[in-house]
Amino acid sequence: MLAQAQEICDRIGILADGVLVREGRLQELIAIENQTELVIADASDDLVHEIESFISRSNAKLLERRKSTTTLERCSWNRPEEMTKAQLASDELTKPK
């Protein structure tokens, strides 16, 4: 049920035993406080290594490096005309090269 709320709501309230325990903008509620996520398109390996080196020099920690993913729903679309412009743009960012 919470996953569905994430898909359609921009603000949310969370009740526990009839008491409002958290309320706010969805992105603020689900954000991990001390982490920043970067998504970079068309980055060369050299650029990625340079970013990793900079992170290391600044005493920050690189917790994870992974390829972006899409959803099975997007993979199942057969015709681009069925997709919105936003979906097409999102797929351009996530499709393998």
Side-chain angles (χ1 to χ4, degrees), residues 2-12 14 23-31:
L2 290 177
Q4 292 170 330
Q6 280 186 231
E7 291 179 17
I8 60 173
C9 299
D10 63 347
R11 291 188 61 81
I12 197 162
I14 300 173
E23 183 269 329
R25 297 189 56 74
L26 180 61
Q27 290 303 327
E28 293 166 0
L29 291 174
I30 64 174

Side-chain angles (χ1 to χ4, degrees), residues 74-90:
R74 285 188 179 141
C75 290
S76 68
W77 283 324
N78 293 324
R79 299 186 316 236
E81 61 269 15
E82 294 175 1
M83 301 169 67
T84 67
K85 288 181 182 180
Q87 290 164 333
L88 285 168
S90 175

